[in-house]
Amino acid sequence: NNNNNNNNTTTKIRKNKKSKPGKDDETTVTTTTISILPSNLPSLLKQVSLKSNYLSHVPIQLLCLVKLEKLDLSNNDIASVPAADMMVHLKSLTELNLDHNCIVSLPKEMGNLSKLKTLSLRHNHIAVHSSTTKFSDDKNPQPLPSTLFTDTPLIDLNLHGNPMTNTQLNEFEGFQSFLERRQKIKSKNIYGGALTDLAVCGLE
């Protein structure tokens, strides 16, 4: 995670030249070396990059960004993803990058991200802590909820660098739905080579 002690803050707001006057739906915001997100973000943002900061949680300011499609929170110190609030509001989210954080599991409300297609969780702490893969919400919760696989259109999932195996992942409830969906997409793009085979999601 980010150990840089530089306290300088860089905030960039870039607007697409094709946007109409007064519209901010094509704006991209990038910030670096911060621990708290500014509160005055344009409400119609489509892309936000907060990578390589000092964030210990997902900023609540993001919840007002109902048009947000791409969110990069990689290289921070985030330990958990909020359940209800974030998932209810970010209905337009298609890409989420949570690489290089401290995440051990995701909430079942991930299934509410009805447009999520790409999720990257490389180098976190997602693991199966029991010798059995008979999961239950009380005694042995599944670190990646079945709703992530069954209730979203997710087709790209990267778990490289997490302390778990491909065999364990294949036993997750709902994971076969993810594989079947990917296979259908792969079949459509077999000649174009548009998709990389991520059936094992970066795991061995």
Side-chain angles (χ1 to χ4, degrees):
N1 295 321
N2 195 335
N3 294 317
N4 186 358
N5 292 320
N6 184 0
N7 291 319
N8 293 329
T9 299
T10 301
T11 303
K12 298 179 181 179
I13 299 180
R14 182 174 69 252
K15 290 188 177 181
N16 191 317
K17 293 181 180 179
K18 295 181 180 180
S19 295
K20 296 179 181 179
K23 300 290 184 180
D24 55 1
D25 60 330
E26 295 297 330
T27 306
T28 299
V29 166
T30 301
T31 64
T32 57
T33 61
I34 63 168
S35 58
I36 299 176
L37 189 64
S39 60
N40 58 341
L41 294 177
S43 61
L44 297 179
L45 280 172
K46 283 193 172 183
Q47 298 184 42
V48 172
S49 176
L50 298 172
K51 63 183 179 180
S52 302
N53 282 288
Y54 302 105
L55 300 175
S56 59
H57 61 278
V58 177
I60 193 171
Q61 293 92 329
L62 296 175
L63 301 184
C64 68
L65 306 181
V66 295
K67 299 294 185 181
L68 188 64
E69 296 178 358
K70 298 180 180 181
L71 176 59
D72 188 347
L73 293 170
S74 60
N75 290 284
N76 280 284
D77 295 306
I78 298 171
S80 63
V81 175
D85 288 343
M86 181 179 180
M87 305 315 158
V88 167
H89 289 82
L90 299 183
K91 291 287 191 178
S92 299
L93 198 66
T94 62
E95 296 183 20
L96 177 59
N97 188 338
L98 292 167
D99 292 348
H100 293 275
N101 277 287
C102 308
I103 296 168
V104 298
S105 65
L106 295 178
K108 63 182 180 180
E109 287 81 3
M110 289 292 294
N112 292 328
L113 297 178
S114 58
K115 294 186 178 180
L116 185 68
K117 291 186 176 182
T118 301
L119 174 62
S120 192
L121 288 158
R122 295 180 306 139
H123 298 285
N124 276 277
H125 304 304
I126 298 171
V128 176
H129 297 290
S130 172
S131 58
T132 176
T133 51
K134 294 185 76 173
F135 297 105
S136 67
D137 292 339
D138 297 328
K139 296 182 179 179
N140 186 31
Q142 186 170 296
L144 298 179
S146 60
T147 54
L148 175 67
F149 305 119
T150 60
D151 296 354
T152 74
L154 187 70
I155 54 173
D156 282 345
L157 173 64
N158 197 333
L159 296 168
H160 179 74
N162 284 277
M164 62 181 294
T165 66
N166 178 41
T167 300
Q168 292 173 323
L169 180 63
N170 270 282
E171 295 179 353
F172 279 16
E173 181 181 349
F175 187 67
Q176 291 306 310
S177 295
F178 166 79
L179 293 182
E180 290 170 7
R181 185 166 56 249
R182 273 198 56 82
Q183 187 59 46
K184 289 179 182 178
I185 299 296
K186 272 182 63 182
S187 297
K188 290 180 180 179
N189 294 277
I190 193 166
Y191 296 110
L195 289 175
T196 302
D197 186 2
L198 291 178
V200 296
C201 303
L203 297 176
E204 306 234 339

